Amino acid sequence: GAGVSQSPSNKVTEKGKDVELRCDPISGHTALYWYRQSLGQGLEFLIYFQGNSAPDKSGLPSDRFSAERTGGSVSTLTIQRTQQEDSAVYLCATVAGGNYQETQYFGPGTRLLVL
Amino acid sequence: AQKITQTQPGMFVQEKEAVTLDCTYDTSDPSYGLFWYKQPSSGEMIFLIYQGSYDQQNATEGRYSLNFQKARKSANLVISASQLGDSAMYFCAMRERKGAQKLVFGQGTRLTINP
């Protein structure tokens, strides 16, 4: 596809369940970022991938959160034992290379609601 | 640490008027990029305009221009001839050259265009 895609677009889950969120980057984009946007707030950084490596995981809020990227392409963000405070929109963004001047292009996001 | 401040939670403007959305930033890295994104009610993040820290001229993209005052560390977005479709949340963001080059966002400004 031409843009970043994410699935599912919406996810409702019960407290304590695990969820997986998927991001398909723009073809050829080597850098991939996950952000979280809580209701009415700005975006906060979660984790950064360059290729399949995650040199910066500093934004992950707890050890219940993990992410991986395979083949330098698809990334999965996993939240274990979900809590109500995990409810937010999870956005993925990708960049062609490692230049800070390049634009990050965002996917449509996954809206997660934990009941 | 890098920081973005948007002091206007909401702005109301008449259609066809120009509007300025404020953004100030703080960083110790001399190499950085400043970005503005639009987020309509549908939720996607749409890239609008970019300004590099070494750019001598203000960036322009159609009806969008960026009033970059480096000494004041401000990067205000100017929208000329506003349209009803400009109603949305607007986020200012910064990427530093060092580290993960993640985007750091302000809290956003909700712009409403009145007919």
Side-chain angles (χ1 to χ4, degrees):
Chain A
V4 180
S5 59
Q6 292 185 246
S7 60
S9 53
N10 292 281
K11 178 71 176 180
V12 181
T13 190
E14 294 179 348
K15 178 182 174 180
K17 295 287 180 73
D18 298 351
V19 294
E20 283 191 355
L21 313 180
R22 176 186 169 107
C23 173
D24 284 86
I26 294 172
S27 178
H29 279 198
T30 59
L32 185 148
Y33 297 77
W34 283 97
Y35 296 89
R36 179 170 73 172
Q37 185 177 26
S38 301
L39 187 64
Q41 301 296 311
L43 281 72
E44 59 173 333
F45 165 78
L46 296 178
I47 187 169
Y48 154 62
F49 287 93
Q50 183 61 44
N52 292 337
S53 300
D56 190 340
K57 306 178 182 179
S58 63
L60 295 178
S62 75
D63 58 9
R64 295 186 295 105
F65 287 72
S66 63
E68 65 175 12
R69 190 178 185 196
T70 56
S73 180
V74 172
S75 177
T76 303
L77 177 68
T78 301
I79 309 173
Q80 296 179 311
R81 305 181 302 283
T82 52
Q83 303 294 313
Q84 289 181 332
E85 61 262 29
D86 299 334
S87 296
V89 178
Y90 291 82
L91 291 149
C92 171
T94 70
V95 191
N99 188 332
Y100 70 96
Q101 297 171 310
E102 294 180 84
T103 299
Q104 292 189 14
Y105 292 96
F106 284 81
T110 293
R111 287 160 182 75
L112 175 65
L113 177 61
V114 182
L115 300 177
Chain B
Q2 53 182 331
K3 185 178 179 180
I4 295 285
T5 302
Q6 294 181 255
T7 58
Q8 305 154 311
M11 291 274 288
F12 295 85
V13 174
Q14 288 298 118
E15 190 179 7
K16 300 181 183 178
E17 289 184 351
V19 57
T20 298
L21 305 182
D22 295 341
C23 173
T24 57
Y25 61 92
D26 191 23
T27 178
S28 59
D29 192 338
S31 303
Y32 54 88
L34 296 157
F35 301 80
W36 278 90
Y37 286 85
K38 173 183 178 181
Q39 188 178 44
S41 56
S42 54
E44 72 265 38
M45 295 290 286
I46 302 169
F47 165 70
L48 295 178
I49 194 167
Y50 164 79
Q51 181 84 43
S53 60
Y54 298 111
D55 292 345
Q56 296 296 310
Q57 294 190 329
N58 289 338
T60 61
E61 288 286 349
R63 294 186 300 112
Y64 304 108
S65 61
L66 204 152
N67 184 0
F68 181 46
Q69 298 188 38
K70 192 170 182 177
R72 294 186 177 185
K73 294 190 174 180
S74 78
N76 298 340
L77 177 69
V78 180
I79 306 174
S80 63
S82 57
Q83 303 171 355
L84 296 178
D86 293 334
S87 293
M89 281 289 286
Y90 288 80
F91 290 98
C92 179
M94 176 172 63
R95 290 182 79 191
E96 293 178 332
R97 183 184 61 83
K98 64 185 180 186
Q101 301 180 353
K102 62 193 177 195
L103 280 168
V104 173
F105 287 84
Q107 290 300 297
T109 295
R110 181 169 297 281
L111 176 64
T112 301
I113 308 298
N114 296 316

